[in-house]
Amino acid sequence: MPIRPTQTSPARLQRWLERRKQVGSRIREIRTSQGLTQMSLALEAGLSRNMVIGIEWGEKSVAYERLWDIADVLGVNIQELLSDDSSRSSSEGHRPGSAKGSTKSKLSVDPEAR
């Protein structure tokens, strides 16, 4: 296990970059489908707009606690943020209070969904 940034292999760094871009792209896709601005997502999730921009473009790492905050604001299960195009469900995220959304976050995992 590397303890210094210089000990991390280029292949691992590339995988991390690809994963950040994948998650950021999903966040941007769900946010824009709901008509949310980067600023409104940032304010509701307790982030700066610059941080949201960096996350969406895969340039910023984000603490996993913040992923839950973002998922709550978007009204989706956190798994929706982590899924890639081939594995995600056809349902889009719904903000609480929207026509299809519920009034609470969907953070539980359905064991039979596997």
Side-chain angles (χ1 to χ4, degrees):
M1 179 59 128
I3 57 172
R4 295 184 190 115
T6 57
Q7 294 175 319
T8 304
S9 73
R12 179 173 279 181
L13 289 173
Q14 185 61 35
R15 282 195 312 269
W16 290 345
L17 174 62
E18 290 167 7
R19 288 175 182 159
R20 284 194 313 266
K21 286 183 177 186
Q22 175 187 328
V23 171
S25 177
R26 272 302 283 151
I27 291 170
R28 183 174 47 254
E29 179 183 334
I30 295 168
R31 176 185 60 77
T32 57
S33 75
Q34 295 180 5
L36 284 175
T37 64
Q38 290 170 331
M39 183 58 106
S40 62
L41 174 59
L43 289 172
E44 291 185 51
L47 300 167
S48 71
R49 180 173 174 261
N50 285 341
M51 185 65 172
V52 170
I53 292 168
I55 292 168
E56 287 186 352
W57 286 100
E59 296 170 355
K60 298 275 187 181
S61 295
V62 61
Y64 62 88
E65 294 92 347
R66 287 301 188 181
L67 286 177
W68 268 278
D69 293 340
I70 292 168
D72 283 344
V73 171
L74 296 174
V76 298
N77 187 310
I78 194 164
Q79 292 171 330
E80 286 292 311
L81 302 182
L82 301 176
S83 67
D84 62 14
D85 289 339
S86 62
S87 68
R88 71 176 178 237
S89 69
S90 61
S91 65
E92 283 298 320
H94 307 290
R95 289 178 45 87
S98 68
K100 293 183 181 178
S102 68
T103 57
K104 65 181 190 178
S105 175
K106 303 167 192 162
L107 293 179
S108 62
V109 177
D110 181 3
E112 294 189 24
R114 293 181 186 170

